[in-house]
Amino acid sequence: MPRRARKYDNLAFEDSISDDWGHDLTMVEVPLGNKPLWILGVVVAAVSLVIIGRVIFLNASNRYYAARAAANVAQSNETPAPRGIIYDREGAPLVANQAVFAAYFDPHAFIANQAAQSGTVQAVQSIFGVSSDTLWSMIHESENQDFATPIVLSDNLTQNQLVNVQAVNINFPAIKLRSDFKRTYPNGPIFSSVVGYIGHVTQTDLQNNQNLTAQDFVGKAGVEKEYDSTLEGVPGVNVQFKNAQGQVLRTEQQSNAEIGQSVTLTIDGGLQSVLYARLASGLRSLGRHVGLGLAIDPQNGQVLALVNLPGYDNNVFSNAASNTLAIKGLLTSSDRPLFDRVVSGNYNPGSTIKPLDGVAIIKDGIVDPSRQIFSNGFLMVPNPYNSSTPTKYADWRYQGNVNLASALAQSSDVYFYVTVGGSPVSTPMLNDPSDYGITGLGITALNAWWQKFGLGKETGIDLPGEADGFLPTPQWKQEKLGTPWLLGDTYNVAIGQGDLLVTPLQLLSYIGAIANGGTLYRPYVNASSTPAVNGDLTALLPEIRDVQEGMALGVTSPLGTAYTLHDLPFSICAKTGSAQVHDNSQENALFVGYAPCNNPRIALLILIENSKQGSLNAVPIARDVLNWYYQNRLAPNAGLGATTTTP
């Protein structure tokens, strides 16, 4: 019986299971799919990222606080380094470094210490004369840089200011002292066009050079800017070790400040001084304000002198905080004294372009150098649409029969109208029937010749801001003005008028190539540079000699436009020019020349804006400068006792 009972018990258990599951037989099974697994995975990933992020944050925070702790224990400070000295070619210094104390206002420290703000503002006003409104305005401007850029209160403290700042510095730490070097310029205005000046770094400077600090100075113009990385020194570093209370335990000098490298220029200090003084006196006598002068050595491209007037005293930038009115005057002057016209100015060359024309028309076989063309002071060109209204193109005076040499000497316009632009076919309106039907060089060929002589592109001089001039073309005129290129346009550019623009550097560089027989040198001011050639035109030597003859005749012939130079004790080859500007309401006077003619050592350019008598105003200045150069540099025993000061 017991065995049977266990048997039935088992059967009852199986039946019981069947009964429990029996009601599920009517239900439908549905698969779960992957969605729950994806959700679970995302949750797990998110939690993992949070954990990992927290670990990274804690580690970074640990490094941050460790760095702050280290900074509290050891604080590095830079000691300023003087900039390198700039010398002229004779070794005379053109700059100096003067040890000074400077005062800065730290906006970050000011904002962080509210309790001291009122007293700090009063101290700044009392010591530096900076009003409360002005200071707050500068603080708000600094806010744009997260208060990271200190405000200059003074670049050069007086003894009284230094004592007062030291007295208040403990209570008002936003006012900071720093030993520094003030850049001074012994003959400021005379050399400022070349040397330039320095100034405090800007936000752009800081972004471009991460090695700079807000207290640093950088070159802003001239050689100071072009060779800034060479001239800047290497700051020294000292470390102050402090205890937990911030008390300085000791100071260690990790490195000493190193003065920047010096730069010796090609500039002749004596010539620079003479050119500056003579140009200034010439402008005063004319009642004019704007002019420039440039001298180069045509044998290698070295810049001997470079002057812009009105000039400026670069010393005002050495203590900008104390010279704000003077600096504002320079920035707002209508005469633009800070603009380097020699390097960055674009000018119509006037008749100084004619030597280039001469090479081109002879080389391209337009006329023979001896071929004469008659000018009675104008050229009449028939109007193809109305024969009763011919166009008159004026010469500047009666010329008579002129060939290439005499056309250059007398600066005949008609000669270059005809040879560059061409003359009309047979017509009674031409001055001389033999001049009918000359096929001129044309604008396309002329443009190519401009480029051969380096016009329309930078010369590559080692000074900042060089312009590239402008060479007009028929395509440019059609696209820009919507009008075709006309014969009159070619006539205008043939005599250096119209839309042709060159820089004084380009103009004198090409004259230098005429002087030396065809080598177009790159102008440069750093004496350690190696002469570089921008173009080799020596294959044009026969044509260049024809032009040289004309430039020599311009001085030796009584009809020459530079005849007043004929009695100087050495030979001079020259070309003068006048350029109509501002809708012909003003006239610029130009002179270009070189000497001695047979072995040129100097090429000179003089330009006077808005002159009274055209090129006649530039020649006397050139005469005195060239005469000084001969007496002091070229004559036997010349140069003894030469000086760089103003004569």
Side-chain angles (χ1 to χ4, degrees):
M1 287 294 295
R3 292 179 180 175
R4 186 176 300 173
R6 285 194 294 272
K7 181 178 180 182
Y8 291 140
D9 287 342
N10 292 336
L11 291 175
F13 174 73
E14 292 175 3
D15 290 343
S16 173
I17 294 176
S18 298
D19 290 340
D20 291 337
W21 287 4
H23 67 279
D24 292 331
L25 297 177
T26 61
M27 298 180 64
V28 178
E29 294 185 1
V30 179
L32 294 177
N34 294 329
K35 184 176 181 180
L37 295 177
W38 279 108
I39 294 174
L40 178 61
V42 170
V43 171
V44 171
V47 171
S48 299
L49 287 175
V50 170
I51 294 173
I52 293 171
R54 183 61 179 171
V55 171
I56 294 174
F57 172 78
L58 291 174
N59 285 335
S61 297
N62 182 58
R63 287 194 296 270
Y64 169 75
Y65 287 112
R68 288 197 60 181
N72 289 332
V73 173
Q75 182 176 355
S76 296
N77 296 301
E78 287 190 347
T79 55
R83 289 173 70 85
I85 303 300
I86 301 172
Y87 300 95
D88 76 354
R89 69 188 298 123
E90 301 298 328
L94 305 180
V95 302
N97 296 313
Q98 177 185 347
V100 296
F101 283 98
Y104 298 87
F105 182 86
D106 187 345
H108 191 275
F110 178 78
I111 296 299
N113 190 351
Q114 295 185 2
Q117 288 183 1
S118 177
T120 301
V121 171
Q122 293 178 7
V124 170
Q125 184 169 359
S126 173
I127 300 173
F128 303 102
V130 179
S131 69
S132 173
D133 291 341
T134 301
L135 181 60
W136 276 108
S137 176
M138 292 189 290
I139 293 171
H140 290 316
E141 290 179 6
S142 179
E143 186 176 3
N144 297 328
Q145 286 86 39
D146 297 325
F147 305 112
T149 303
I151 298 168
V152 181
L153 297 175
S154 176
D155 293 326
N156 184 11
L157 293 176
T158 65
Q159 186 64 32
N160 189 50
Q161 286 176 326
L162 176 60
V163 172
N164 289 332
V165 170
Q166 290 174 328
V168 303
N169 181 251
I170 297 176
N171 296 323
F172 307 123
I175 304 175
K176 298 183 178 297
L177 274 176
R178 184 191 187 198
S179 60
D180 214 329
F181 292 94
K182 175 184 176 182
R183 195 72 152 173
T184 61
Y185 304 95
N187 297 289
I190 298 175
F191 293 91
S192 59
S193 293
V194 180
V195 174
Y197 61 93
I198 64 172
H200 277 286
V201 298
T202 63
Q203 193 64 25
T204 302
D205 295 325
L206 293 172
Q207 292 173 353
N208 294 336
N209 187 348
Q210 296 180 353
N211 294 324
L212 294 174
T213 68
Q215 291 80 30
D216 288 334
F217 289 85
V218 294
K220 297 292 185 179
V223 172
E224 292 276 32
K225 181 177 182 179
E226 184 72 17
Y227 290 99
D228 183 64
S229 59
T230 300
L231 293 166
E232 68 177 353
V234 180
V237 178
N238 63 67
V239 180
Q240 291 181 335
F241 293 91
K242 304 177 182 179
N243 59 20
Q245 286 74 38
Q247 298 173 327
V248 178
L249 300 177
R250 70 181 190 279
T251 300
E252 291 184 1
Q253 188 76 30
Q254 286 194 344
S255 62
N256 294 319
E258 298 178 14
I259 187 172
Q261 298 179 46
S262 64
V263 174
T264 298
L265 304 182
T266 60
I267 297 296
D268 182 323
L271 177 62
Q272 177 83 10
S273 299
V274 168
L275 179 56
Y276 179 92
R278 185 60 185 88
L279 182 61
S281 66
L283 290 173
R284 284 194 301 270
S285 67
L286 295 171
R288 296 295 182 256
H289 306 286
V290 181
L292 60 89
L294 174 66
I296 65 172
D297 184 339
Q299 302 295 351
N300 50 34
Q302 291 186 355
V303 176
L304 303 176
L306 189 159
V307 172
N308 290 283
L309 287 176
Y312 65 94
D313 187 355
N314 38 13
N315 286 293
V316 302
F317 295 97
S318 296
N319 195 358
S322 301
N323 293 302
T324 53
L325 290 179
I327 293 173
K328 182 178 180 181
L330 292 174
L331 294 173
T332 58
S333 172
S334 59
D335 288 333
R336 304 171 69 190
L338 297 179
F339 181 60
D340 189 344
R341 291 170 167 83
V342 173
V343 176
S344 305
N346 286 318
Y347 292 91
N348 292 125
S351 293
T352 60
I353 200 66
K354 290 174 181 176
L356 188 156
D357 294 343
V359 172
I361 61 176
I362 301 304
K363 180 63 178 178
D364 283 6
I366 304 301
V367 293
D368 185 87
S370 61
R371 166 68 186 271
Q372 292 186 334
I373 294 175
F374 181 80
S375 168
N376 62 1
F378 58 87
L379 174 66
M380 301 298 293
V381 178
N383 185 336
Y385 306 103
N386 186 349
S387 59
S388 64
T389 59
T391 302
K392 181 179 181 179
Y393 292 92
D395 209 330
W396 72 282
R397 72 179 183 189
Y398 175 90
Q399 306 287 351
N401 284 309
V402 291
N403 58 17
L404 174 63
S406 55
L408 287 171
Q410 299 171 204
S411 200
S412 169
D413 288 341
V414 167
Y415 180 90
F416 291 99
Y417 290 153
V418 171
T419 56
V420 176
S423 64
V425 295
S426 179
T427 168
M429 283 180 284
L430 256 179
N431 300 320
D432 187 332
S434 67
D435 297 334
Y436 297 157
I438 295 177
T439 301
L441 187 69
I443 183 58
T444 300
L446 181 59
N447 193 288
W449 279 102
W450 287 337
Q451 295 181 57
K452 287 180 181 179
F453 276 92
L455 306 186
K457 58 185 176 182
E458 297 178 4
T459 65
I461 189 173
D462 49 342
L463 287 174
E466 184 178 9
D468 53 10
F470 180 73
L471 308 181
T473 63
Q475 180 182 3
W476 162 81
K477 186 181 179 186
Q478 186 66 52
E479 293 177 353
K480 182 70 174 180
L481 305 177
T483 56
W485 187 271
L486 304 176
L487 176 62
D489 296 319
T490 304
Y491 284 169
N492 277 335
V493 296
I495 61 171
Q497 302 282 171
D499 296 304
L500 173 63
L501 297 173
V502 302
T503 68
L505 269 175
Q506 293 169 350
L507 180 55
L508 195 58
S509 292
Y510 113 70
I511 292 297
I514 296 292
N516 65 38
T519 302
L520 192 66
Y521 284 104
R522 174 184 67 86
Y524 65 97
V525 299
N526 189 338
S528 64
S529 300
T530 301
V533 176
N534 283 342
D536 183 359
L537 305 174
T538 52
L540 302 172
L541 185 57
E543 293 76 19
I544 288 175
R545 284 176 175 162
D546 291 329
V547 169
Q548 290 174 343
E549 180 185 349
M551 294 181 70
L553 195 63
V555 175
T556 59
S557 169
L559 294 178
T561 58
Y563 181 66
T564 55
L565 306 179
H566 77 280
D567 58 349
L568 290 179
F570 66 141
S571 61
I572 300 171
C573 293
K575 183 73 195 77
T576 61
S578 300
Q580 303 290 332
V581 296
H582 299 299
D583 295 325
N584 296 332
S585 63
Q586 296 180 7
E587 189 173 59
N588 292 340
L590 297 101
F591 169 92
V592 292
Y594 59 89
C597 288
N598 59 343
N599 182 28
R601 300 279 299 279
I602 182 174
L604 178 67
L605 178 149
I606 304 292
L607 188 153
I608 299 174
E609 292 190 14
N610 190 22
S611 65
K612 288 186 175 181
Q613 297 175 299
S615 61
L616 294 177
N617 296 145
V619 176
I621 298 173
R623 173 187 172 88
D624 291 344
V625 173
L626 289 170
N627 187 46
W628 181 94
Y629 196 75
Y630 174 79
Q631 299 293 345
N632 291 272
R633 296 292 183 266
L634 301 182
N637 301 318
L640 298 179
T643 176
T644 61
T645 57
T646 305

